[in-house]
Amino acid sequence: MYRTLLSGGVAAVALAVASAPAFSQETINLTAAAGHPEVFLWVKHIKETFIPTVDAELAKTGKVKINWTQGYGGTIVKLGSEVEAFQQGIIDVGQMSGVFNPATMGLLNLTYAMPFGPPDARGVTAAVEKALMETEGALQKLEEATGVVYIGGGIAIDDYNIASTKALTKIADMNGVKLGGAGPNLAWLAGTGAVGVQGSYVTFYNDIKTGVYDGNIGWMTANVPAKLYEVAPNWNQTHFGAMYIGGMGVSKMQWDTFSDETKAAFRTAATAYTKAYFDEQEARYEAAKKTLVDGGGKIVEFDPAERSTWIKGLPNPTAAWAKAAEARGEPAKKVLEAYRDNLKAAGFTFERDYLAE
């Protein structure tokens, strides 16, 4: 009888398995890419944090698996052509940054339009993302212009300063000095006598070494890994502030096909990406500062009174930017006001209220 019961039980289990629907796992092919190489933290953590977190979240149910193609340092998309690559279906996942895509992602350059802000990169990012997400129409306009969905994962770079071949402590020292920088930050030099030259970390070292320009506008955790202290040893602390540079984006065409579970996995990964980025950036800062000094670099403090004079005399950097953004149909002024007010609520007030002018 025991054998009869056992065989009957086995048969019942077999029948149940046979009648159950087969488990089907969806596989999605996605390409993630960036124009910058992995030496930059925002690229490093796409590979090391964002993608592994997406995979780990999806593995909890096993319903969806992503087959990733990754390419960084210009192997798939060149710096400045990210929007076109998204729109043409060349890439599906990447960072949305307005610095090198001002025509379509210019709204994300809002902190560059309000220089001499706080040095706290986490605080700046939190204030920006709150402004973007709570200002009606902000992210919608960005999506319409680019075909990319902003999913969070915002980051900012540490306090911008100037590296140069000679020490800069006052405005007069800057007269005739040529400085490389990305488009949005060259406007900060207006009225100082310095000459801004379009450039990026891809070319800064060689351009300074060969005399194309005399230094660069940049930040510690990028300048030191790039060894710019070898060619521009003076780290002049003008304290332009931390600058938000963007967040993670997914092609809208792909995003609209994702299940709610998949979307949630991507948003969770974006949050993890931000945290990992800032944790490492902050850990690197003091070490980078030591490396700069040990490598022959010098920390130069720009005179605070001269800095105040600079701020007061700077042609309003917000007005032209806001006008251009409003012409594109973006609620730029409301976003800027929200950003300023968010910082004030957190304890920081700009020395000059650009928006009140």
Side-chain angles (χ1 to χ4, degrees), residues 239-276:
H239 299 300
F240 293 117
M243 295 288 154
Y244 165 85
I245 58 171
M248 293 301 299
V250 179
S251 160
K252 179 172 170 54
M253 185 168 59
Q254 289 285 1
W255 184 257
D256 288 346
T257 69
F258 289 174
S259 65
D260 289 344
E261 178 186 312
T262 302
K263 289 178 180 178
F266 272 74
R267 293 195 186 281
T268 297
T271 299
Y273 168 81
T274 295
K275 183 180 185 303

Side-chain angles (χ1 to χ4, degrees), residues 87 95 123 184 190 252 285 294 296 303 322 336 338:
Q87 293 173 338
Q95 195 189 49
K252 179 172 170 54
Y285 187 87
D294 290 349
D303 182 81
L336 287 171

Side-chain angles (χ1 to χ4, degrees), residues 94-338:
Q95 195 189 49
M96 299 179 72
S97 176
V99 178
F100 295 101
N101 295 278
T104 47
M105 292 187 183
L107 187 63
L108 301 180
N109 287 338
L110 70 156
T111 61
Y112 287 88
M114 297 183 75
F116 300 104
D120 174 18
R122 283 189 202 254
V124 164
T125 299
V128 169
E129 287 207 319
K130 188 172 188 292
L132 288 172
M133 292 176 183
E134 294 184 359
T135 301
E136 184 178 357
L139 291 180
Q140 291 89 330
K141 284 293 183 182
L142 191 63
E143 187 177 303
E144 290 170 10
T146 62
V148 186
V149 178
Y150 185 98
I151 63 168
I155 58 171
I157 49 187
D158 42 278
D159 191 18
Y160 261 101
N161 291 284
I162 295 175
S164 63
T165 54
K166 75 169 188 175
L168 307 174
T169 62
K170 55 186 182 297
I171 295 172
D173 294 337
M174 300 177 66
N175 190 44
V177 175
K178 293 179 291 183
L179 298 171
N185 57 38
L186 296 181
W188 305 341
L189 301 174
T192 64
V195 179
V197 184
Q198 181 70 37
S200 75
Y201 276 97
V202 176
T203 61
F204 279 161
Y205 188 100
N206 286 334
D207 285 347
I208 297 170
K209 184 177 181 179
T210 57
V212 175
Y213 33 80
D214 309 303
N216 74 297
I217 303 173
W219 61 100
M220 181 74 74
T221 58
N223 261 51
V224 171
K227 297 187 177 182
L228 296 189
Y229 55 85
E230 294 179 351
V231 291
N234 295 286
W235 183 249
N236 308 286
Q237 298 197 129
T238 52
H239 299 300
F240 293 117
M243 295 288 154
Y244 165 85
I245 58 171
M248 293 301 299
V250 179
S251 160
K252 179 172 170 54
M253 185 168 59
Q254 289 285 1
W255 184 257
D256 288 346
T257 69
F258 289 174
S259 65
D260 289 344
E261 178 186 312
T262 302
K263 289 178 180 178
F266 272 74
R267 293 195 186 281
T268 297
T271 299
Y273 168 81
T274 295
K275 183 180 185 303
Y277 169 89
F278 282 129
D279 286 348
E280 184 166 358
Q281 178 173 266
E282 289 165 3
R284 281 188 175 195
Y285 187 87
E286 289 304 322
K289 192 173 181 180
K290 183 177 186 302
T291 298
L292 182 147
V293 174
D294 290 349
K298 181 181 179 183
I299 305 295
V300 179
E301 191 64 39
F302 199 85
D303 182 81
E306 288 280 312
R307 181 176 180 272
S308 292
T309 299
W310 183 352
I311 292 171
K312 291 173 185 174
L314 187 68
N316 191 315
T318 306
W321 180 88
K323 183 179 180 180
E326 294 281 342
R328 295 193 298 264
E330 299 163 354
K333 292 179 182 177
K334 289 183 178 179
V335 172
L336 287 171
E337 289 169 355

